[in-house]
Amino acid sequence: MRSIMNLNFGWKYKESFEDAFVENGFDDSGFADVMLPHANIELPYNNFNEKCIQFISCYRKKFPVTGEQAGERAILHFDGVMAYCRVYLNGSYAGEHKGGYTPFRLDVTGFIREDGENVLVVMVDSTEREDIPPFGHVIDYLTYGGIYREVSLVFVQEIHVDNLHIRTKDVLTENMKMEIDLHLENHSGAEKAIVIEFELLCRDESKLKFMEGGVTLAPGPSKLTFTKALVQKMELWDLQAPNLYHVAVKVLHDGVLLDECKERFGFREAVFQKDGFHLNGKRIKLRGLNRHQSFPYVGYAMPKGAQYKDAEILKLDLGVNLVRLSHYPQSRHFLDRCDELGLLVFEEMPGWQHIGDEAWQDVAVQNVEDMIKRDWNRPCVILWGVRINESADDDRFYARTNRVAKELDPDRQTGGVRNFGGSRLLEDVYTYNDFVHDGLNDALQPRSRIVKTDAPYLVTEHNGHMFPTKKYDNESRRIEQALRHLRVMDKMYRAADISGAIGWCMSDYNTHRDFGSGDRICYHGVLDMFRIPKEAAWAYSSQQEGSPVMEVAASMVPGERDGGVLREAIVFTNCDSVRLSKNGTYVGTYGPDREAYPGIPHPPVVITDFIGDLIEKNEGFAKNDAMLAKEILQAVVRHGDQSLPMKYKLKMAYLMFKCHLSHAKAVALYTTYVANWGGKSPVYEFTGFVSDKPVGTSRKGPADSAGLFAVADKDRLVEEETYDVCRIVLKHLDSLGNVMTLSNEVITLETEGPGEVIGPGQIALIGGSIAFWVKTAGKSGTLQVRVRSGRFGDQTLSFAVEKR
């Protein structure tokens, strides 16, 4: 009977190898105690040399085998080791693996000690070896190092299930079918008569025994295919209702249960056509972001909790319906959460521009196979990326990758991301990085200029390096980044022959010295590296349905505007309208700018009138004269007083004559209603309305400091197969509730109880905010995190830590 031993706690680690596989007399007293996932070195946030992560290290783990597991086959499962490793068990070489992004297994049955302690040693080479993708040339991201995903030891019988591939058929008809490929291993050395039983586990936890069959199993690996027509209609997996089921399989011999396992899946039909992407027969525009799996300080080494949170940010906060895993397979936990949330995934093979020699290509093809075999049951995965990102055409190589994908998973389409048009297309979908937009030109190129066939077309990257933006850049640049993303989305929605567009990218990320802003960071994200939103995040979140979004992309602070003049305020929102008040006095109600953004579901509200009828109310002007005065003042805002067109000069002269305005009075109108020079700065209040009901309010203007605020993503941490983590966001807010983006206060972090801070114990706000993660330490109890600031005093957050 199958059993799993998680091997993620209690490791010893050293930043060198030094013949560590030698068991007798080996001294590990100089090793550090670590848990998996683990980064081979903890990095600064920026300004480091990436060579510091490129070295050979040693991991060492001791574990016993119980009597229940004696005599069974033992298989080591590694979810991910960067980038090459050799594995030794009890002093014997057990195997090796090339590639840091795909899982691998080693049968260590012959090396297990059943009567004592076992010693597992892993040599990890995290150098950028030219025989392993994505290496061989420059790469615009870091690959980090270490055993950065989980490890387990699985005990099975001589006859056991190796893998299970579930394919759903005819899901839009009354004749739903399931086709199951069952991959079995028979290490008994003889033919065995076995019985296979399948159960369908429904969402309400009811069980439907729907298939049973007897077969004679030959020695070695076997693949058996079973087809079953379903008598009852199953609920489909889609974006709003991601319905999931399980198939449980049992293998019996002479009535004795040999193995039992289950796989999660969903019933859905996903297909790209020339007119776009269709999910369960419904055409859907794909609005997405690219994701790197890296985090501050520890790179890739983050467990389930952080992976889940990233998926939730994308789906629930940013409101996208698709994520591209750029440029490699990512954590199974992240994909688990995508399945559960209804977030579509484009998953691709590891690589970036470079194609290596034949041996390199062999590893790349194996990566494709391992990627598909791991994730072929996931309903969220709608496209396999079987081409190295932005690489040149190579028909021989890509014929191999496409063939492997089609042989393993004939029901899913393939794509291959390019950065040039007219490429030789071997895949099903032409996937293209379109960076044409420079802020002034057309947002996307016409499909007909890029694709010379009738193949479906998907834009897989846009913006990003074309307009890198830091969270602390000036306000106009931050807003322009958001508008560039919005323009591309608007163009995509209006183009019937574009399936969707995937922005570059979700969050800022560490990179090599050859890229980024010189400090080892690419500031391309709509979030910063700590997953804190920039204004560009609102371009995405405002397009979602359901939860009201109203984000005002203007501080209304004079010093953030050229010339101190307020020309416009852009509100990213899915509200029907926005009401503006100034110092408590109503100014006007404004609707979405559908003229400038006719394609997207929810255009922003662009406010250029901050006067309303205040001149009429406050100055005693007749209505028409007040409207004329406002027109002139708005013209001065647009053109400046020194470049005012003649028609407005004439209107000003007419108004001054008719209303007996002195020059001083005219200037006073300007300073009061436009510039506010010499007066108290006003407070603007924006209120969003949906169906005439207020759903959100934001107040803007110069304000005083209100203090430092700490908010945790959750208050309970749960250890399952490994440690858990939680992000804590720190924000310096003003008295109106807005982040003070010019604040860089220094914060000290301390913990008490079963946990610790990931990264340095002292940090500084970046653009008025920052976040950090805490992780558990293998024990239950109460974890207290103290946030200390000389200016703001201390705050303490408490977390219940639970072990399961």
Side-chain angles (χ1 to χ4, degrees), residues 16 30 74 101 138 191 203 252 272 333 356 362 372 403 454 456 471 494 498-499 615 658 700 708:
S16 63
Y101 295 107
V138 295
E191 290 186 347
R203 294 173 56 246
L252 302 97
F272 287 86
H333 301 300
D362 289 343
I372 293 174
R403 183 171 61 252
D454 289 336
K471 195 176 61 178
R494 289 186 284 119
I498 299 179
S499 298
I615 295 178
K658 180 182 179 184
K700 298 285 184 175
L708 183 73

Side-chain angles (χ1 to χ4, degrees), residues 403-415:
R403 183 171 61 252
V404 166
K406 290 300 183 183
E407 288 174 352
L408 291 173
D409 190 14
D411 299 327
R412 275 190 185 85
Q413 292 168 295
T414 60

Side-chain angles (χ1 to χ4, degrees), residues 10 66 198 200 246-247 260 278 291 297 311 318 345 357 359 419-420 442 564 572 585 664 666 687 762:
T66 66
F198 292 98
L200 182 61
H246 286 86
V247 162
E260 181 178 16
H278 297 257
R291 179 199 187 233
Y297 315 125
L318 297 175
V345 172
D357 59 17
N419 59 355
F420 61 97
D442 209 358
F572 293 93
T585 302
T687 304
Q762 194 170 65

